[in-house]
Amino acid sequence: MIYWETVQPKFTDFLLAGDEISAIALARESLSNGASPVEFFEKCIAPSLQEVGKRFETLDIFLPEMVTAADLVEKINTEVINPALADAKDNKNLSLGKVLLATVQGDLHDIGKNMVALMLKVNGFEVIDMGTSVAPSDIITRAVQENVDIIGISALLTTCLPYMKEVGDFLVAKGIRDKYSVIVGGAATNPTIAEEMGANAYGSSAADGVEKCKMLLGKI
Ligand code: B12
């Protein structure tokens, strides 16, 4: 714990300064010191981005700095975290179920959703990732086409939450609500919102999302 208390603020500073070399070095150093890729993501990357968001909200930083921080995180995920995570597990032949993932219409945030996709894959789920800003009707059409078990939707913008609710409403209107489990996540959601959306579950993190998907399919 003490380790993250010192490392995480340093990492935030590197993100805000756009210091790619130091940020990547810190990620590699943490992994070689024994941190797991998921631990680094949840204890360092996620809280640092939350801090970036806070500073954006209080006008201490502006959009270009938030973009720089996001780009840097994507680079670290691609170069360090994702390959380490993919190496760490070998469940590629297991199929626990099929999950369709999408970021809700109007919302372009995908760092968290991508982590959920990767964690589901390495834990034995088949994942169909529709990307960002996906219309509710497209989500339903694809879910039906692919015969998925679970529909997972991510939202970071509160203004886009009505589209998330539309997914559930469409399923009900088409009389197919019971065919699918719906799980929601992302910084604009919480357990109360999940309930209001008519979702079957809420995932607070990628790891929690994996556990909830297993639960929904009766695998634990
Ligand atoms: C990085 C970032 C960006 C990047 C996004 C890059 C990208 N490729 O994703 C950029 C710079 C492009 C961006 C743009 C904007 N952003 Co922005 N952004 C952020 C920031 C700082 C971090 C988001 C993030 O990646 N967090 C880290 C990940 C790991 O967390 P996460 O997404 O929540 O995901 C975890 C869990 O929630 C969960 N999870 C996520 N999804 C799902 C799905 C399922 C199914 C499950 C089970 C679990 C799950 O697992 C993940 C891993 O643990 C947040 C601040 C914050 N507090 O979130 C603001 C924030 C979300 N942005 C905000 C805003 C306002 C914007 C802009 C409107 C700014 C502007 N003026 O243009 C635009 C909107 C663009 C659009 N149409 O979407 C606001 C939203 C306010 C609100 N309440 O709606 C925030 C909260 C900042 C703030 N405090 O003001 N942003």
Side-chain angles (χ1 to χ4, degrees), residues 188-208:
T189 64
N190 57 42
T192 313
I193 285 179
E195 212 180 316
E196 283 166 16
M197 298 292 143
N200 301 87
Y202 161 73
S204 61
S205 66
D208 187 41

Side-chain angles (χ1 to χ4, degrees), residues 41-42 45-46 49-50 52-54 56-57 63 66-67 69-70 74 101 106-113 115-116 151-159 183-189 202-210 213:
F41 187 85
E42 297 294 353
I45 294 182
L49 281 174
Q50 212 169 348
V52 169
K54 265 191 211 147
F56 175 75
E57 208 174 343
L63 195 55
M66 195 156 78
V67 173
E74 278 179 26
L101 281 181
D107 192 335
L108 299 174
H109 295 85
D110 65 357
I111 295 173
K113 173 199 54 78
M115 191 47 151
V116 174
I151 299 173
I153 321 163
S154 182
L156 275 88
L157 297 179
T158 44
T159 46
I183 179 166
V184 299
T189 64
Y202 161 73
S204 61
S205 66
D208 187 41
V210 170
C213 285

Side-chain angles (χ1 to χ4, degrees), residues 72-166:
L72 190 39
V73 164
E74 278 179 26
K75 194 150 201 226
I76 292 168
N77 282 347
T78 310
E79 287 187 14
V80 185
I81 306 299
N82 299 1
L85 197 49
D87 280 354
K89 303 227 176 169
D90 190 20
N91 285 334
K92 291 174 189 88
N93 296 323
L94 200 72
S95 184
L96 292 181
K98 219 172 182 181
V99 185
L100 183 146
L101 281 181
T103 298
V104 74
Q105 182 169 345
D107 192 335
L108 299 174
H109 295 85
D110 65 357
I111 295 173
K113 173 199 54 78
N114 293 346
M115 191 47 151
V116 174
L118 188 62
M119 284 282 284
L120 283 169
K121 279 184 205 158
V122 299
N123 281 283
F125 285 89
E126 194 181 332
V127 176
I128 296 155
D129 187 346
M130 292 186 73
T132 58
S133 190
V134 187
S137 56
D138 291 346
I139 293 178
I140 308 294
T141 306
R142 191 74 185 273
V144 172
Q145 269 170 4
E146 301 277 356
N147 196 21
V148 302
D149 302 296
I150 298 177
I151 299 173
I153 321 163
S154 182
L156 275 88
L157 297 179
T158 44
T159 46
C160 297
L161 286 174
Y163 296 115
M164 192 178 242
K165 186 163 185 307
E166 264 184 30

